Amino acid sequence: MIWLKLVNWSLSAGVDTPANRMDNETVEVRLAGDIPEGYQWELLISHEEYLDVIHLDADGDEYRTLLTAEQLAFDGDYEMQLRAFSDYLVKHSTKTVVRIGETISGDEQWPEVPTVFSQMLDRAEEALAAAAEMRGAGYATFDVDTDTGDLIMTYPDDYYGPDFRLTDDGDLEVIPNGSN
């Protein structure tokens, strides 16, 4: 486990169990400390020229996430920094470094799209599935064309619900009671 401690926007790290390259969903990152209220939290991680953004889930007074093999594609030093946001407010912590150990196996593969975007799509799909179950209808699914970055929606024949489109500015537009 990787412990991140935030005190007065200064970030430090500690490691209970060593994290190694290509570990998959066995390395938990936990954020504790002096965590200001009213913010959503993201973990920025970078290794050399690569950057990933990961949404942190609230867990009582702490925030956490599990790292995947894709996020731990390389061994060596990973810089970590917190980004907090609320409406138009954005605040960054200081950076800290965590060492990721070597392994013999695995391909070096960094996420094609930032993890926070994939997490957002997963949460949206879960919400649509839950709403569809309440209505007894099928539900729409999201995917991203990694070549173009386009959002792709798939609607079943019995879908009745909002329509989703990406605007030219890259915003997600929700059209109530839309049709496919």
Side-chain angles (χ1 to χ4, degrees):
M1 178 182 315
I2 299 171
W3 283 98
L4 298 177
K5 185 174 182 181
L6 184 66
V7 176
N8 197 24
W9 295 99
S10 180
L11 186 65
S12 59
V15 178
D16 284 350
T17 306
N20 292 302
R21 177 177 171 251
M22 302 305 291
D23 284 353
N24 190 52
E25 295 190 10
T26 57
V27 177
E28 183 177 37
V29 176
R30 281 202 169 259
L31 168 62
D34 180 21
I35 303 172
E37 293 183 21
Y39 289 99
Q40 292 196 38
W41 296 87
E42 293 175 334
L43 176 64
L44 309 175
I45 61 172
S46 69
H47 176 76
E48 297 177 0
E49 75 270 15
Y50 299 100
L51 171 68
D52 196 7
V53 181
I54 303 167
H55 174 78
L56 296 175
D57 295 313
D59 186 13
D61 292 340
E62 299 177 342
Y63 289 81
R64 66 176 185 81
T65 191
L66 278 176
L67 298 180
T68 65
E70 193 175 45
Q71 294 158 337
L72 297 173
F74 307 98
D75 60 80
D77 290 338
Y78 278 60
E79 285 188 316
M80 296 187 176
Q81 183 176 36
L82 295 172
R83 177 168 56 198
F85 59 93
S86 175
D87 296 323
Y88 62 91
L89 302 173
V90 178
K91 179 75 175 159
H92 290 82
S93 71
T94 60
K95 296 186 290 185
T96 191
V97 175
V98 174
R99 183 109 175 118
I100 303 300
E102 301 180 54
T103 58
I104 295 172
S105 64
D107 294 335
E108 294 179 349
Q109 180 72 33
W110 198 256
E112 291 188 29
V113 295
T115 301
V116 70
F117 189 67
S118 301
Q119 291 171 320
M120 177 194 69
L121 290 177
D122 290 345
R123 286 193 303 277
E125 282 185 345
E126 289 170 9
L128 281 173
E133 284 180 27
M134 291 188 307
R135 288 191 310 271
Y139 59 93
T141 58
F142 296 90
D143 202 0
V144 177
D145 183 327
T146 55
D147 293 329
T148 65
D150 291 342
L151 179 68
I152 301 168
M153 295 288 297
T154 305
Y155 300 94
D157 293 336
D158 60 350
Y159 177 77
Y160 177 77
D163 198 6
F164 301 89
R165 290 191 176 84
L166 280 179
T167 66
D168 291 338
D169 296 331
D171 295 328
L172 183 63
E173 179 181 26
V174 180
I175 304 165
N177 297 317
S179 63
N180 53 358

